[in-house]
Amino acid sequence: MNHQPPEHAPLTQFAVHNDCLQIGGMPLTHLAQRVGTTPFYAYDRQAITDRVKLLRQHLPPEILLHYAVKANPMPAVVQHLAGLVDGLDIASIGEMNIALDTVIDPGKISFAGPGKKEYELRCAIAAGVVINIESQQELETVARQGMEIGSTPRIAIRVNPDFELKAAGMKMGGGPKPFGIDAEQVPSILAQLGSLNLDFVGFHIFSGSQNLNTEAIQQAQQKTFELARHLADYAPVPVKSLNIGGGFGVPYFPGEQPLDIAVIGAHLHALMAQVKWQLPEATVALELGRYLVAEAGIYVCQVLERKISRGQIFLITDGGLHHHLAASGNFGQVIRKNYPVLIGNKVRETESEIVSVVGPLCTPLDLLADRMQMAKAVPGDLVVVLQSGAYGLSASPTAFLGHPKPVEVLV
Ligand SMILES: *Cc1c(COP(=O)(O)O)cnc(C)c1O
C-alpha cells in the first residue's frame, strides 16, 4: 500500500500559457508590470461571473442569490457582483455605504451582526435597508428610532437555530451564540411585533461557514426550512422573505475537494417544491461570501532572496501575514496547513525543490508556505497564493510592522 500525503485539489480557474499563470486575460508577469509594485491582490472578473453562472445553472431559478460583502469588500468587486446577484448582505456601516453605492435596491440589502450601533441602525432605517434583528434590545432600539425618524423600519428576525451545521469550518448557529435570537425565544419576539411600528419581512437563519460536506449542507437547508415553517406560525403577517444562509465552502487545503453544486442544486429543487406551499408568499435567498469570490482571487508577492538555513530553503518575499493572515494559518485554523502556493511565472517548470515561503516580519508566524514542493525560484520570481479572493486583505493586520499596504485590482 502506498500512502501518499494528501494533495491540493487541482485548481483550473486560471489558464497557463508559456509556463505563466494568466489572470484577467493576461500573463501574470504582464499584470505585475501593470500594477507596478508587489505585493498585490488580483481578482478575476470573469472567474466571478462564471461562478455566479454555475450557481444559476444548478439552483432552482426562484432562489435569490445574495453576496455577503464581508468576504471581499473591495468596492470594484462589490460593484461587479451587484450586476450579477439579487441582493447584498452587510455587517457594518462601512459595508452599507459600499452596498448603497451599487445598483442594488436598498430593500434587497440586509444588515446582520451583533452589536449594531445606534447611528448604524438609524442610517439603515433611513436607507430602507432590511435590519436583521439579533436581540430584544435591538428590536426596541429599532422600533424607537423608526418613530424618531418617521419611517417604518424593515426588519427580519435573525434566528440562532436549535441545530448546528455539521462539519462546518466555522459554526455560527446552534448552542449558545452571540449571533441571532435563540429559536425558542423567537415566538415571544414575534408576539411583540403587532404593537410596534415595524415592517416584518421574515427570517434570516445562518448556521455556519466553509462547509465542504454536501450532505451536511443539505441537512442544514432542510432543517432551516422546517424551523422557518414552525416559526412562521407565530408571525403577525405571512413571511415574505427567508434568508437560508449559505455556508458553501471552497477547497483551501490538501485533501479537500470542491463542492458538487449539481447535487446541492437538485436537493434544493426538491425542498423548494415543499416551501412553495408551506410558505407561499416567501422568496428564498441564499447568502454566499467566499464561494463567490475566493477562487477568483490571488495574492502575489515577489521573491527577494533565496536563503538556505541548515539545509532548509527559504524564499524570503515582500509579502506576508500582514497582508494575508489566512494563508499564514492564523485566521481560524487549528493546525496550520498550506494554502495552494506556486511560482506564478514558472507554473510548469520541471526543476522543483522543497521550500518555505516567508515574509519580512520578525515573527516565525510569518509563513506563507511551509516546506512545499515548488518550482526552483530566484529573486524576482512571483509567488502566487491561490484561493485568496475572500478574507484576504480585509481580514489581515496591515498595520503590523508598518510595511505598505498591498494594491488590489479587479481585472
Ligand atoms: C460571514 C457571513 C457570511 C459569509 O460566509 P462565507 O463563508 O464567506 O460564505 C454569510 N452570512 C453571514 C451572516 C455571515 O456572518
Side-chain angles (χ1 to χ4, degrees), residues 43-128:
Y43 312 117
D44 188 299
R45 196 186 291 273
Q46 190 61 46
I48 296 173
T49 304
D50 291 347
R51 179 46 60 99
V52 174
K53 262 191 211 151
L54 175 79
L55 283 161
R56 300 267 193 215
Q57 191 187 326
H58 291 291
L59 296 176
E62 63 275 26
I63 293 242
L64 304 179
L65 267 186
H66 282 206
Y67 173 53
V69 172
K70 177 181 72 182
N72 187 330
M74 185 201 186
V77 167
V78 179
Q79 288 288 348
H80 179 58
L81 272 161
L84 302 168
V85 299
D86 308 299
L88 297 171
D89 295 314
I90 54 159
S92 70
I93 182 125
E95 292 184 1
M96 183 165 26
N97 287 330
I98 293 169
L100 289 173
D101 279 343
T102 69
V103 296
I104 298 281
D105 181 280
K108 304 278 165 48
I109 298 173
S110 69
F111 185 11
K116 299 183 198 76
K117 289 164 206 66
E118 295 230 352
Y119 78 95
E120 293 181 300
L121 292 168
R122 264 197 309 279
C123 295
I125 297 165

Side-chain angles (χ1 to χ4, degrees), residues 181-371:
I181 297 171
D182 294 349
E184 52 280 22
Q185 292 174 11
V186 170
S188 85
I189 293 275
L190 291 170
Q192 301 167 42
L193 293 181
S195 59
L196 295 171
N197 173 44
L198 296 169
D199 177 13
F200 167 79
V201 299
F203 299 113
H204 176 217
I205 307 177
F206 179 78
S207 46
S209 233
Q210 181 49 20
N211 202 317
L212 287 170
N213 182 327
T214 317
E215 272 171 41
I217 290 176
Q218 291 172 341
Q219 209 181 75
Q221 288 173 341
Q222 178 149 357
K223 288 187 172 172
T224 296
F225 285 128
E226 281 165 18
L227 179 57
R229 219 217 56 68
H230 163 71
L231 294 175
D233 288 344
Y234 300 88
V237 290
V239 171
K240 293 190 282 285
S241 113
L242 175 60
N243 182 327
I244 61 169
F248 295 10
V250 298
Y252 290 110
F253 305 119
E256 294 183 341
Q257 295 302 318
L259 275 178
D260 190 340
I261 275 307
V263 174
I264 292 174
H267 187 251
L268 264 181
H269 272 279
L271 288 177
M272 284 304 291
Q274 292 173 36
V275 173
K276 265 182 218 157
W277 60 266
Q278 291 178 333
L279 300 170
E281 296 184 33
T283 58
V284 175
L286 200 57
E287 129 188 273
L288 300 172
R290 75 186 75 217
Y291 192 76
L292 296 179
V293 290
E295 297 180 78
I298 60 174
Y299 173 65
V300 183
C301 56
Q302 192 174 152
V303 178
L304 302 174
E305 263 187 62
R306 183 173 173 280
K307 179 171 175 177
I308 299 174
S309 167
R310 306 211 162 104
Q312 193 177 331
I313 306 166
F314 291 91
L315 298 178
I316 299 177
T317 71
D318 56 5
L321 83 72
H322 53 318
H323 298 163
H324 201 333
L325 187 67
S328 78
N330 295 292
F331 188 64
Q333 288 101 303
V334 181
I335 298 166
R336 192 195 176 285
K337 294 178 189 152
N338 286 321
Y339 264 53
V341 180
L342 49 84
I343 307 297
N345 55 313
K346 293 181 174 172
V347 180
R348 302 227 163 100
E349 170 77 55
T350 46
E351 198 184 347
S352 71
E353 58 187 11
I354 290 175
V355 297
S356 291
V357 177
V358 302
L361 309 187
C362 297
T363 159
L365 299 178
D366 192 13
L367 187 61
L368 292 177
D370 184 17
R371 288 161 293 170

Side-chain angles (χ1 to χ4, degrees), residues 135-153:
S135 70
Q136 172 76 36
Q137 178 182 314
E138 201 168 81
L139 181 78
E140 291 165 13
T141 304
V142 168
R144 172 173 50 76
Q145 288 184 332
M147 301 293 279
E148 287 167 11
I149 295 170
S151 59
T152 306

